[in-house]
Structures are given as structure tokens and as C-alpha cells.
Amino acid sequence: MNNTTRREFLQIIGTAAAGAVLAPSVFSQRRARTCVIVGSGLAGLSAALRLKSKGWNVTVLEARSRIGGRVFSHVMPNSDGLICELGAEWVGESHERIIELCKEFNIPLQKHQFEDHLLRNGKHSRPGAWDLSPQAKAAFEKMIAGYEKLTAAQKRRLDSKDWWTHLADIGFTRDDLLLRDLADSTDFGESIRHVSAYSALAEYAESSPKNEMDYKMTGGNSRLVDEFVRRIGAENIRTGMKVSEINQRAGIVTVKAGDESFRADACICTAPIASLRKIKFNPPMPAVQRDAAEKLTYARIIKNSVLYENRFWKDDDFSMVTDTTSHYYFHSTQKQAGTMGILTAYAIGEKADVLASQDDARRMNVITRDLVDFDPNAPRLAKGIASYAWQRDEYTEGAYALYRPGQWFGIRPILQRPHGKVLFAGEHLADWQGFMEGAINTGEDAADSLIK
Ligand SMILES: Cc1cc2nc3c(=O)[nH]c(=O)nc-3n(C[C@H](O)[C@H](O)[C@H](O)COP(=O)(O)OP(=O)(O)OC[C@H]3O[C@@H](n4cnc5c(N)ncnc54)[C@H](O)[C@@H]3O)c2cc1C
């Protein structure tokens, strides 16, 4: 998102990291410096690769049995190899670093577009046949145009209220608000009544018009993870290693995972906040940082990818915002050859909890029945389902961080602060918060501040 905050993040981690690494001494010249990285998501992997390329010895400790964290491509069984994403999905036009990495790693990005249909109260409207009121559209455009000129005080005022209230204040009617809530809540994972107006505005003002759904990685996002692993060296990444303690004494960091301890000159911790809260720090983190960690929650999102016998939605760029439990449908197998196809239902907030509480058969029933006003054949064409409820994930307890009113400027800068020789990174601390780009930015920034 915004450059000023990225600079601030670099300043925050840079200042503390100056004391966090070994001063250039005879000792540090004699041996390679070492870093333990907690977490093998994109933040951890990008930090590890950056450090390794500068001669550091790195050890990545990952609690799960798989590498990649919230990047999680899935090959659908009985589908002739169709792929869907159960975690991160799209790459945006403004996501410069990830675009650069895909080029370097030889992962073709394919152009990607959606045209949103709307299904509301059983009535289906095609793309272009539904919209906000002209008054709301004009107010929105004016607000976006004014974004660059906002003062620090104005940004803080915006952060103090929620996105719904702010849109009402600039002239959205009730119907505009309800429509915008259906659409925008897919971005934040909860109703816009719970989202900081500043964090929402910054995201929309800095995004490309298609809201950062401009590209997809051919063959799935896990290809990016695989290439990181190849370059870092699989022998430097340990899975099934849940970090429980991070101790610092006499200039050395000792990270405990299971029965093993890993000593290093520094540590980059990319654990999402729910996991971070469970790690014991010695010396303890300052009270203000612990309090901030207790306040940050993550969005409830369940992804339900349903395999259908044919692509009855017809348009390759099909997506549909709905007022049903299934919430938002999109075509996951765009540009993948085949007659079968996958339509993913992306449900948020309470709707995500309702679907998460059901078994696969019941969930598939709800998701396909929610489509009958669009196509009555949908339920009988369904052949299988793959679901992932991120709010039930042990390590994230949600899909991505949700900055509530007052939290963007209230707790984010506190969470970014290093603790001695432990630096923090991850999607939740990024300007491109909620995106792969943000995770990579923070991982590389943390590594750079150690290298300096
Ligand atoms: C449903 C969904 C949709 C998304 N859509 C998009 C999208 O379209 N585009 C986009 O760019 N981004 C999207 N994202 C966001 C993107 O996935 C994340 O921003 C990014 O992958 C986060 O990377 P990370 O390294 O910060 O965290 P993670 O990927 O969560 O990595 C952290 C790692 O730390 C590990 N860990 C946690 N605790 C411990 C511990 N105690 N010890 C050891 N390891 C530990 C975890 O297992 C995990 O592997 C989406 C995410 C979700 C869930």
C-alpha cells in the first residue's frame, strides 16, 4: 500500500536490527552469520533466500508437515489434474516484487479477469446490469482521487472509524452500503462494519482497478514455494518443528522446537499472531507488544472448491457476488483445459462459520443449492468438493489479519518492532497486508536489515 508506512516499517526494523546483529568484528568475519527463521510461508522463505544469497547460514523451522503456509495449491481428485487454490489466489498488477520473482523463477503469469454477476434475493443480474447509484460512484471516485493528499491527522481520523460508517458519511445510500458490503467483505473476510476505513481506503486507492486479481500463476501458486525451496535448499528447512520458545542471552538467540534447540545470531519470526501468542519469549516481549498481539484477530474465510461435470457457468471469466451463505463464487479453472470445471465458493464471517461446521456432503449441498436461481442443474452436476476453513487452522486462526477501527495506526507499528535480536515479518505487518506481495516484502525487508 502506501510508501510512507513502508518507509516507517523499514525504519522501525532497521533501528532495532542495528543492535540485533553482530557488530563487524573479528568473530563475525571468521564464520558465516546464522539466522533461524520461524515459519515457511512466503515471508519466511523470502527472508531465508535473501539471507542465504548474502552468505548467511539459515535454518527455517516450520510447524506443519508441509511448506508454504497460506499458499496451498490443490490438485482436485478425479478431475484430470485440475488445480485450485485453497489459500492465496491472485497476483495484482501493483504487486511488483512477486511479478519480478515469477519472472526470475520462470513461472508464467497468465492474464486473469473476472466479470461479476450478482445474485440477490433469487434474482440474477449479468455483469454491467447492476451497479452502485451514480451518487455513490461519484463520491467514491472523489475519495480515491483525494487519497494522495490526505494528511497524517486525516488518515488517523479515518482509521478511527469503520468503512461502512465512512461510506455512509460520504453519501452512500442504504442499498449502496448493502451492495458494497457484499462485494468488499470478500476482500476483508468480514463485514465492512468491522474494517478500519483507512486500511480499506488505502487498499482500494493503491490497487489496480480489478482489485489485484489481474494474474494467476500458471500451474498453481505452490510453484513459487517449490522454487524458493529449491534455491534455499530443502536441507535448510525443517518441517514438523513447532517453535515453542525463543530465548536470548549474551548476544545469542536460542529457538526451541520439540526436543531440539537452534542457536543463531538472529531470528526472523513470521508466525501469524495466533501462533506468536503461544511462543514463550525470554526475556518476555514488552507488555505493550503483548497487548497489541492480543488485540489483532484474523478474518474468517472458508474456501469451498466444487468440481462440476461441466462448466455450466459458460463464461471463462465468471464470478458472482451473492447474498447467500456461499457468498462469492468464482471460476477457479479459468484457462485450464478440460470439460469439467471448478467453481469456488468463498464465504466470509458468520457464513464461513456456518459452512465450516458442516461435513463435506452437507456443505456441497448448501453450496450447489445456493446456485439454483442461477442454474437449476447445479446440484446434480457436482462431483466432489475440497474445502479449507482458515478460521479453524491451528496456526493462523483466520485467513489474514483484520485491522479493525483504530488498529492500523494503533497496534500495527507496535507489532512491527523487533524484540532484541528477533525481527518480525509476515503478511500482517505489511503495507500490502493480506497479500503474498506483503509477506514477501516484510521477509526481504527483515533480511535486508540484518544484512546491513
Ligand atoms: C483464503 C485466502 C485467500 C487469499 N487470497 C490471496 C490472493 O488472492 N492474493 C494474495 O496475494 N494473497 C492472498 N492471500 C494471502 C496470502 O496467502 C498471505 O498473505 C501469505 O501467504 C502469508 O504469508 P506469511 O509468510 O506471512 O504467513 P504464512 O503463509 O501463514 O506462513 C507462516 C508459517 O509459519 C508457520 N508457523 C506458525 N507458527 C509456528 C511455530 N510456532 N513454529 C513454526 N512454524 C510456525 C505456519 O505453519 C506457516 O507455515 C490469501 C490468503 C487466504 C488464507
Side-chain angles (χ1 to χ4, degrees), residues 174-392:
R174 172 128 315 231
D175 201 51
D176 288 325
L177 287 169
L178 292 170
L179 203 52
R180 193 81 212 187
D181 195 23
L182 283 182
D184 289 5
S185 56
T186 60
D187 295 327
F188 304 108
E190 298 283 343
S191 162
I192 62 172
R193 293 174 177 87
H194 306 301
V195 178
S196 149
Y198 175 75
S199 78
L201 173 59
E203 181 163 329
Y204 292 123
E206 304 215 1
S207 288
S208 54
K210 280 285 175 189
N211 203 11
E212 305 307 329
M213 295 161 145
D214 306 295
Y215 301 104
K216 270 195 105 160
M217 288 183 216
T218 310
N221 293 334
S222 288
R223 283 185 69 187
L224 185 68
V225 170
D226 296 345
E227 191 55 30
F228 266 118
V229 174
R230 201 180 66 74
R231 289 169 189 239
I232 294 163
E235 68 284 5
N236 297 315
I237 305 174
R238 301 273 310 270
T239 52
M241 299 299 279
K242 182 172 173 178
V243 169
S244 54
E245 279 181 36
I246 301 181
N247 301 309
Q248 302 184 58
R249 201 155 164 261
I252 293 291
V253 188
T254 308
V255 179
K256 199 167 169 231
D259 296 336
E260 292 185 56
S261 287
F262 300 82
R263 282 161 58 86
D265 299 318
C267 169
I268 296 177
C269 180
T270 73
I273 288 293
S275 288
L276 181 77
R277 284 198 289 256
K278 292 175 197 144
I279 297 175
K280 197 171 145 209
F281 284 84
N282 184 14
M285 281 212 281
V288 64
Q289 211 162 354
R290 281 203 314 268
D291 288 351
E294 267 158 31
K295 288 185 185 130
L296 185 64
T297 56
Y298 283 39
R300 291 169 293 174
I301 296 178
I302 183 170
K303 269 185 157 180
N304 307 283
S305 296
V306 175
L307 177 70
Y308 293 93
E309 215 168 287
N310 66 47
R311 301 183 183 186
F312 60 87
W313 48 92
K314 297 191 177 72
D315 301 329
D316 211 32
D317 59 3
F318 176 83
S319 66
M320 186 160 71
V321 177
T322 80
D323 59 0
T324 66
T325 311
S326 306
H327 198 79
Y328 177 57
Y329 292 90
F330 60 85
H331 178 198
S332 286
T333 40
Q334 197 179 117
K335 298 203 170 115
Q336 293 184 48
T339 45
M340 288 185 277
I342 299 172
L343 206 55
T344 295
Y346 188 103
I348 60 108
E350 271 88 32
K351 297 173 175 184
D353 278 343
V354 169
L355 290 171
S357 76
Q358 300 170 344
D359 62 21
D360 272 354
R362 193 169 282 270
R363 207 166 17 234
M364 192 153 89
N365 195 12
V366 173
I367 290 161
T368 56
R369 284 168 58 98
D370 278 350
L371 278 170
V372 292
D373 289 313
F374 172 73
D375 188 325
N377 292 322
R380 67 167 187 82
L381 293 172
K383 292 172 65 105
I385 185 168
S387 293
Y388 202 88
W390 285 95
Q391 68 275 25
R392 293 194 174 195

Side-chain angles (χ1 to χ4, degrees), residues 37-46 61-72 85-92 95 98 186 211-213 221 238 240-244 256-257 269-272 274-276 278-279 298-299 301-303 346 388 390 393-396 398-400 425-429 432-440 442:
I37 293 155
V38 182
S40 73
L42 289 183
L45 295 175
S46 57
L61 300 177
E62 169 55 53
R64 300 178 205 264
S65 56
R66 69 172 175 84
I67 300 173
R70 280 169 274 173
V71 171
F72 190 8
E85 303 288 347
L86 294 177
E89 191 87 38
W90 304 286
V91 173
H95 295 168
I98 208 159
T186 60
N211 203 11
E212 305 307 329
M213 295 161 145
N221 293 334
R238 301 273 310 270
M241 299 299 279
K242 182 172 173 178
V243 169
S244 54
K256 199 167 169 231
C269 180
T270 73
S275 288
L276 181 77
K278 292 175 197 144
I279 297 175
Y298 283 39
I301 296 178
I302 183 170
K303 269 185 157 180
Y346 188 103
Y388 202 88
W390 285 95
D393 181 87
E394 182 185 348
Y395 299 105
T396 51
Y400 31 77
E427 157 278 314
H428 57 291
L429 304 178
W432 279 112
Q433 187 261 309
F435 291 100
M436 295 183 279
E437 174 81 0
I440 291 173
T442 57

